[in-house]
Amino acid sequence: MENKKLNAKAVKNFLSNNAIIILIFVLALIVGFIADNFWTSSNFKNLIVNVSPRFIIACGVSGCLITKGTDLSAGRQVGLSACLAAMMLQSVDYAARALPWMPDLPWFVALLMVILIMAVFGAINGCVIAFLKVPPFIATLGMQTIVYGLCSVVTGNDPLGGFKSSYSQVALGSLGRVPYLAIFAILVGLFMLFLYNKTRHGKYMYAIGGNENAAQVAGVNVPATLIRIYVLASVLYAVAGFLVGAKAGGASTATGNGYELEAIAACTIGGVSTNGGVGKVGGILVGVLVFEILKICLQFLRVDPAYTFIAQGLVIIVAVALDLRKYLAKK
């Protein structure tokens, strides 16, 4: 009798903890039977291409969440990265070139330059949070506005296009049947798996999220760890922005708007607790997949885009509420 009660409790906890994931996959099954062309290779490829940059962004946000922080500047940093990459990689014969003096750069050189520039913003975020003790919510909210303003100044609020074919090919090309975007995401995922599970940095990160004071007493250099986390986050936003620009075929100050909220929601759905100390890379991927599958399902059901935003907002609220419920239940 006791075993039955334990099994029933385990099933109830599983259903409660994974309610959103289960509901979205049930929705996908229903849409698959109702809508034509849902179970096709082209739709699957579209899913992979959309998931890849968002997974990279979510990986960046995850470290902040695990240490009981957040990064509200993620979307704007992605947008600035896309604009910087666009300005560096416009065709030399493009009439409306933003930087006519810029030499013809290989795409990987431009990517490296964007990473170095964006790492500065991550370092500033980390220093403000670690040394000035400004709450991450406020620090990154301020950085969000700063980055948006800088993007507007740099671009003059003009849309950017006319990319070199080598840059566009980063998003459009594939290795066999595997899109290059997916390869970038796989490499980032493997790196984050190693970093979180096999390195001292990963252990320090989870320790800070569990109890920052105890971690400091145990000898963890909390400020240095926090700075590394926010620098790495900005580096990942740079990579994601570079890919988003190539995928879209253009960039503007609107690029990346709201991506940070999707990333936070995806992390929460995937088991990264907003209360710190918990989170796995595999769960982040599942969370991003769930969020993108929801979007695709609503598109196939021909739901008005306005209602799509409402549905996404509800998912974010429910995901955080369930996370808080788990945290309170443990206490």
Side-chain angles (χ1 to χ4, degrees):
M1 192 71 177
E2 288 184 8
N3 288 336
K4 287 184 178 179
K5 286 183 178 179
L6 288 172
N7 290 335
K9 188 177 180 181
V11 171
K12 184 180 178 182
N13 287 337
F14 175 80
L15 292 174
S16 176
N17 294 338
N18 299 282
I20 293 178
I21 296 173
I22 294 168
L23 286 172
I24 298 301
F25 278 106
V26 168
L27 175 63
L29 289 173
I30 294 171
V31 174
F33 286 112
I34 295 175
D36 295 330
N37 302 320
F38 187 81
W39 303 110
T40 60
S41 58
S42 61
N43 192 35
F44 179 73
K45 184 178 179 180
N46 182 50
L47 172 65
I48 297 301
V49 166
N50 287 335
V51 161
S52 296
R54 284 172 171 79
F55 170 66
I56 296 172
I57 299 166
C59 282
V61 171
S62 67
C64 308
L65 294 175
I66 289 170
T67 52
K68 293 185 180 178
T70 190
D71 194 347
L72 298 181
S73 67
R76 292 303 184 186
Q77 288 196 52
V78 169
L80 178 58
S81 301
C83 289
L84 290 174
M87 294 169 75
M88 294 179 194
L89 293 171
Q90 289 177 312
S91 297
V92 291
D93 57 351
Y94 183 58
R97 200 174 182 210
L99 302 175
W101 48 265
M102 179 68 70
D104 189 10
L105 296 175
W107 67 263
F108 56 86
V109 173
L111 174 58
L112 182 60
M113 291 174 67
V114 172
I115 287 173
L116 292 174
I117 293 168
M118 299 313 300
V120 174
F121 293 99
I124 294 171
N125 269 340
C127 288
V128 169
I129 292 164
F131 296 123
L132 300 182
K133 304 300 180 184
V134 176
F137 178 88
I138 301 299
T140 59
L141 180 62
M143 182 58 75
Q144 178 193 75
T145 308
I146 291 169
V147 170
Y148 178 64
L150 286 173
C151 191
S152 298
V153 170
V154 169
T155 63
N157 287 317
D158 293 326
L160 301 163
F163 297 159
K164 292 166 33 172
S165 59
S166 60
Y167 179 37
S168 300
Q169 195 63 21
V170 171
L172 302 176
S174 60
L175 185 64
R177 292 189 176 184
V178 183
Y180 288 150
L181 286 174
I183 294 173
F184 274 95
I186 290 168
L187 291 174
V188 168
L190 292 174
F191 170 75
M192 298 302 285
L193 270 172
F194 175 78
L195 184 71
Y196 281 11
N197 299 312
K198 301 296 182 181
T199 67
R200 188 178 298 175
H201 172 81
K203 292 176 183 177
Y204 287 176
M205 178 183 68
Y206 286 109
I208 292 169
N211 189 321
E212 184 175 328
N213 292 330
Q216 198 156 18
V217 171
V220 174
N221 189 336
V222 173
T225 304
L226 289 174
I227 291 169
R228 284 196 297 268
I229 287 168
Y230 282 90
V231 168
L232 175 61
S234 290
V235 166
L236 294 177
Y237 305 151
V239 174
F242 182 89
L243 298 176
V244 166
K247 175 176 173 289
S252 70
T253 52
T255 302
N257 185 29
Y259 280 19
E260 68 280 351
L261 300 180
E262 291 185 17
I264 292 169
C267 286
T268 307
I269 292 168
V272 179
S273 177
T274 54
N275 295 293
V278 178
K280 295 181 178 179
V281 175
I284 297 167
L285 178 59
V286 171
V288 176
L289 278 169
V290 165
F291 219 75
E292 289 305 313
I293 288 171
L294 171 64
K295 290 183 195 174
I296 291 174
C297 287
L298 294 176
Q299 287 172 3
F300 270 85
L301 292 174
R302 296 180 181 178
V303 174
D304 188 290
Y307 292 104
T308 300
F309 284 115
I310 293 171
Q312 291 175 22
L314 289 172
V315 168
I316 291 171
I317 293 169
V318 172
V320 175
L322 290 173
D323 177 59
L324 289 172
R325 181 178 174 276
K326 287 187 283 185
Y327 175 72
L328 293 172
K330 287 179 182 178
K331 290 185 72 177

